[in-house]
Amino acid sequence: MEVKLQDADELTFYPPTPAQSRRITERQSRFDLTQVRWIRRLMDSRWPLFLARAITLAGFVFTILAGLFGSPVGSHNFAIIFVWLAWWTALKLLFIPLGGRAWCSVCPLPMPGEWLQRGGLVSRSERRLGLGKRWPKALRGYWLQAGLFLTIGIFSAVTLTDARVTAWILLGLIGLAIGLSLVFENRAFCSNVCPIGGFTGMYSQMAPVELRVRDGQVCAEHTEKTCYQECPWGVYPLALKDSSACGLCMECLRVCPQDNIALNLRPFGSDLGATRRSQRLDEAFLALVMLGSALAFAAVFTGPWGGLKGAAYAIGSQAWVGYAVGFLGLNLVALPLVYGLVVRLGQQSWKGWASLRRSLANYAQAMLPLGLCAWIAFTITFALPKLSFILNVASDPLGWGWNLFGTADSIIESANWSFTPLLQIGALAAGLFWSVRLIFQLAAQEPPAHKQWRKAGPLAAFSLIYTLGMLWLLVG
Amino acid sequence: MRFLIWFRSIPLIWKLMPLLAAVVLVAPLPFSGGQPTDRHYRVEAARFAYFPGVLRANPGDRVTIELVATDVVHGLEIDGYGVGVTADPGQPATMTFLADRSGSFRMRCSVTCGGMHPFMIGKLQVGQNQWLWRGAGLALLVVVAGAWKVWK
């Protein structure tokens, strides 16, 4: 067939712009899970998610009852073992690294509030409750979440070992979630208050899962914005720059009349590595709080220092006040100060054109792999030797001497597994490699192109020293 | 075939990195222990700590631990060695074992003794802690690798 050219311009080759090239590469490295028929069918219906939520909510209620009425001995109580051992380990080792905010989609905490807010258990109705106010702008971001995480951290030795305290904290959190749902619109609690939601959202930028629109043009031309109207999180999928705000509930996918929403498998850390123009410091603050908490908890819970454990446990005593001051000093003063200094030092070497505030915000993304992998290494040390407890309380959840599944006295010799240090070293090394790579990648995007070591060296050295510290605490 | 093409496209330095990491993790380290001897430790256990919290021995030492519980019943089990002992208050108990594995091992209380029981932990260090040195070596290597990948 002969093709007639109307214009010589049609023969002109225009190379793609950097943004276009990035979009092409991104598209090539994604696999849309909704193309798999059975996954699509699962997502199209609201019932599988409702069922999963009903199960976690039932487990949550049982956990509170076990905490209030079960054995006061933590290691014999379902509330302690399933919350702080089983769930925490699953969150750190599976949900966040592989699913990002996948846990948020089935988390029981916001459910009763959301049902009241939306006027139905499975789908929306007209009988909605709540004032629907907007969350105050000044309180947006990770600040409150980091603060609540630190508050729980100060009392962690008791929270992690006293079943009643755990039950009251869970009751307090669900009460707060319900209350906020009735006053504010959408998931105000999850997005701005939940201490778990904060770091889950932040670390979800590294996960190999993302929800995105297929074709931005289709969304731009769609005037009703059904996805935005129906999203319980108040997120507009076209505006998603990273995965931190999306709770993966798939409501947008169900209501999109254009079938323009994709759930992609993607390379790890796809949201990281590009220079950010934002000046928000809340992510940097939370990233440092997570680094500091991992250090402190590794010292308290896996170290051989009895005095430190005693101080963390004796709430209200002089020793505890010392512990609380040290814990807060590390997280609120020492680490932010050192981080600020090393970023400033790197910036000085090239007389940076960006403000210090912007650099602090930009380089925070490089601290995410370091933090998540430090938590993974800590969780391995913390949880592996105690796996037997999970089997034991599964058979005797209230510590009343039951043996429902015959595992009340089972022992897993996990404390003797010789490969544990290798796993810890592997996790820490992976986090350090990833972070250093990001630091140099971000430094390379700032002019001038040379002086890489001077620009990135101080923060890379900070990451190395942090890793050596964790290594000493966990393997030493 | 595609794998071979892909493998050839990888720079030499990246082909060597896994090898270097393996060397760091398994190569014998030039640590020499002292002469094997008999060691006796008196360890006091009180909620939720051991005193002393860290015990040291050389590889090949015959280690005897006398556990003294000062408040409630406590136990002492050593990860990796699989040995343990339990002591009632006022009734010290003793265990002896051959420290034939080098490294750092956690000692844990094996009898529920109170709230912080799962975290009542001490440490037995036999010779040099090779994992710590290997981990530090690997950390240095990955810093160079991470920087190299972007720098080049």
Side-chain angles (χ1 to χ4, degrees):
Chain A
M1 194 176 95
E2 194 184 336
V3 179
K4 274 193 171 178
L5 295 175
Q6 300 291 324
D7 194 329
D9 267 0
E10 288 185 30
L11 286 175
T12 313
F13 173 70
Y14 295 103
T17 63
Q20 283 171 331
S21 304
R22 200 172 57 241
R23 249 175 268 138
I24 292 165
T25 316
E26 272 179 11
R27 220 169 284 158
Q28 284 169 344
S29 59
R30 267 43 172 189
F31 173 70
D32 183 0
L33 286 170
T34 59
Q35 287 174 0
V36 182
R37 198 178 297 165
W38 66 270
I39 295 181
R40 177 75 207 210
R41 221 176 285 159
L42 271 177
M43 285 171 188
D44 276 344
S45 168
R46 291 190 176 94
W47 284 99
L49 191 65
F50 172 74
L51 199 66
R53 287 173 160 189
I55 292 169
T56 58
L57 186 61
F60 185 79
V61 172
F62 182 72
T63 302
I64 291 173
L65 292 175
L68 292 177
F69 304 111
S71 166
V73 180
S75 52
H76 291 208
N77 192 304
F78 182 89
I80 291 292
I81 299 304
F82 266 78
V83 173
W84 301 120
L85 195 59
W87 168 76
W88 184 259
T89 304
L91 187 73
K92 290 291 183 192
L93 301 189
L94 291 174
F95 279 109
I96 296 177
L98 300 179
R101 274 208 143 162
W103 169 257
C104 296
S105 66
V106 294
C107 177
L109 281 176
M111 264 180 252
E114 190 175 290
W115 289 338
L116 292 172
Q117 203 181 53
R118 295 169 73 83
L121 295 184
V122 183
S123 50
R124 253 184 180 180
S125 78
E126 292 306 314
R127 291 171 299 164
R128 295 173 206 164
L129 281 177
L131 304 175
K133 290 188 178 298
R134 291 200 80 119
W135 184 256
K137 205 172 175 183
L139 297 179
R140 277 183 207 163
Y142 292 129
W143 298 109
L144 277 179
Q145 292 168 319
L148 209 52
F149 188 84
L150 282 177
T151 309
I152 293 177
I154 297 172
F155 301 99
S156 58
V158 171
T159 313
L160 264 65
T161 53
D162 190 315
R164 275 156 191 72
V165 172
T166 292
W168 281 111
I169 286 179
L170 295 182
L171 271 173
L173 287 175
I174 201 166
L176 190 62
I178 293 172
L180 291 178
S181 295
L182 293 176
V183 177
F184 297 101
E185 61 179 1
N186 303 321
R187 289 222 189 171
F189 171 79
C190 305
S191 302
N192 304 290
V193 182
C194 177
I196 308 298
F199 69 77
T200 306
M202 183 176 71
Y203 288 142
S204 67
Q205 297 174 71
M206 298 157 59
V209 183
E210 67 178 10
L211 185 135
R212 295 289 188 274
V213 299
R214 289 201 179 105
D215 184 348
Q217 193 61 33
V218 173
C219 292
E221 287 168 6
H222 183 230
T223 48
E224 284 85 6
K225 314 289 182 208
T226 334
C227 53
Y228 177 63
Q229 302 290 338
E230 293 295 323
C231 176
W233 294 72
V235 168
Y236 180 38
L238 181 62
L240 280 174
K241 286 179 186 156
D242 59 52
S243 293
S244 58
C246 172
L248 294 178
C249 66
M250 306 297 156
E251 196 57 25
C252 53
L253 187 138
R254 285 182 205 109
V255 298
C256 178
Q258 316 282 348
D259 191 20
N260 195 36
I261 303 284
L263 179 69
N264 293 324
L265 275 183
R266 63 179 189 179
F268 284 94
S270 296
D271 290 339
L272 308 176
T275 299
R276 293 176 181 177
R277 306 207 172 275
S278 162
Q279 301 217 12
R280 284 175 45 190
L281 290 179
D282 58 331
E283 187 179 84
F285 178 62
L286 183 58
L288 293 174
V289 163
M290 295 312 292
L291 287 179
S293 304
L295 265 182
F297 293 160
V300 173
F301 294 114
T302 68
W305 303 287
L308 184 62
K309 290 175 208 290
Y313 191 67
I315 289 177
S317 69
Q318 211 172 350
W320 176 79
V321 172
Y323 162 76
V325 168
F327 180 76
L328 292 177
L330 174 72
N331 285 289
L332 298 178
V333 182
L335 274 177
L337 202 68
V338 175
Y339 174 71
L341 278 175
V342 292
V343 171
R344 180 86 188 105
L345 212 63
Q347 212 190 14
Q348 262 181 349
S349 68
W350 52 281
K351 296 184 177 59
W353 48 270
S355 68
L356 176 63
R357 188 188 168 98
R358 212 184 106 184
S359 290
L360 290 172
N362 185 34
Y363 279 98
Q365 56 181 306
M367 297 293 101
L368 303 189
L370 195 68
L372 180 59
C373 291
W375 273 97
I376 288 173
F378 165 67
T379 303
I380 291 169
T381 316
F382 175 82
L384 270 196
K386 300 176 187 68
L387 287 182
S388 302
F389 290 145
I390 297 176
L391 290 180
N392 301 158
V393 297
S395 271
D396 184 16
L398 301 172
W400 288 352
W402 300 347
N403 196 356
L404 298 175
F405 308 110
T407 58
D409 300 311
S410 297
I411 292 171
I412 303 173
E413 295 286 350
S414 47
N416 292 325
W417 289 346
S418 54
F419 57 84
T420 308
L422 202 60
L423 291 179
Q424 293 159 331
I425 291 172
L428 290 171
L432 179 64
F433 172 75
W434 198 346
S435 278
V436 170
R437 214 184 121 193
L438 280 172
I439 293 166
F440 276 83
Q441 204 173 322
L442 293 170
Q445 292 164 28
E446 288 167 340
H450 60 288
K451 293 187 178 178
Q452 294 274 16
W453 279 101
R454 282 205 210 161
K455 281 193 279 182
L459 196 52
F462 168 79
S463 306
L464 174 65
I465 291 166
Y466 177 83
T467 303
L468 293 178
M470 283 299 289
L471 200 64
W472 177 67
L473 285 171
L474 298 179
V475 185
Chain B
M1 194 63 191
R2 281 177 69 181
F3 174 77
L4 275 177
I5 295 167
W6 169 78
F7 188 74
R8 277 188 196 151
S9 70
I10 300 173
L12 182 64
I13 184 81
W14 283 104
K15 289 175 189 160
L16 288 176
M17 277 297 172
L19 194 68
L20 284 172
V23 168
V24 169
L25 288 176
V26 299
L29 297 177
F31 294 134
S32 58
Q35 283 294 314
T37 180
D38 283 355
R39 284 179 195 272
H40 185 276
Y41 281 107
R42 185 177 193 273
V43 178
E44 289 191 4
R47 286 182 183 176
F48 305 98
Y50 295 110
F51 302 99
V54 182
L55 311 182
R56 291 176 206 282
N58 288 323
D61 282 358
R62 205 175 152 75
V63 180
T64 301
I65 294 176
E66 183 191 5
L67 183 67
V68 182
T70 58
D71 45 16
V72 295
V73 184
H74 288 289
L76 190 155
E77 278 184 359
I78 303 175
D79 291 0
Y81 275 88
V83 294
V85 67
T86 304
D88 290 323
Q91 290 180 307
T94 303
M95 71 168 170
T96 301
F97 62 96
L98 188 67
D100 54 358
R101 299 180 64 187
S102 297
S104 185
F105 304 92
R106 296 288 190 269
M107 308 186 297
R108 297 174 196 278
C109 182
S110 53
V111 181
T112 304
C113 58
M116 282 284 274
H117 156 71
F119 308 110
M120 183 168 166
I121 289 169
K123 198 166 79 174
L124 169 69
Q125 192 157 325
V126 182
Q128 289 289 336
N129 184 357
Q130 295 205 6
W131 281 120
L132 184 62
W133 291 106
R134 292 182 195 285
L138 192 65
L140 283 170
L141 186 68
V142 300
V143 167
V144 175
W148 188 281
K149 182 152 188 175
V150 183
W151 197 28
K152 295 307 278 182

